[in-house]
Amino acid sequence: MLTVSFLICSENGQITGDVLVYRNPGLHFGDIHIMCATRVEELESYVGHNKYAIFFPCVGTRSVADEIAGGDFDGDLYWVSKHPQVPISISV
């Protein structure tokens, strides 16, 4: 599991914990990431009450967005699941 600090906002506030992140069109299994979403207090003043946003870190040789189907930061849409059974199904 990739453990990086990143933020997901939904209609019910920030999501934390293990999540599955996917960007369409995924070409291979490496485009599906199981990640750990964390609460990032420093971003709350920027995010405010916005809904449906995902913030990936952009450090290192490749950003997480680029690792997922060659995404970038220009409005790509990601599918996120917090369902507890999904990571188990993927890892089998």
Side-chain angles (χ1 to χ4, degrees):
M1 173 176 35
L2 184 61
T3 54
V4 294
S5 294
F6 79 106
L7 171 70
I8 301 175
C9 299
S10 72
E11 62 188 19
N12 298 320
Q14 291 190 30
I15 295 174
T16 59
D18 294 342
V19 293
L20 185 134
V21 181
Y22 170 77
R23 178 181 167 271
N24 194 25
L27 303 175
H28 56 81
F29 287 113
D31 294 333
I32 301 170
H33 283 230
I34 299 172
M35 304 176 75
C36 182
T38 58
R39 184 172 191 83
V40 182
E41 305 265 341
E42 295 83 12
L43 287 176
E44 286 190 9
S45 62
Y46 297 103
V47 174
H49 298 290
N50 288 318
K51 300 178 183 177
Y52 310 115
I54 187 167
F55 294 85
F56 291 118
C58 54
V59 296
T61 57
R62 289 181 68 195
S63 67
V64 174
D66 183 45
E67 291 178 4
I68 303 174
D72 50 29
F73 298 102
D74 66 353
D76 295 339
L77 297 177
Y78 291 87
W79 181 83
V80 177
S81 174
K82 190 164 170 55
H83 192 283
Q85 293 298 316
V86 173
I88 293 170
S89 299
I90 297 296
S91 64
V92 169

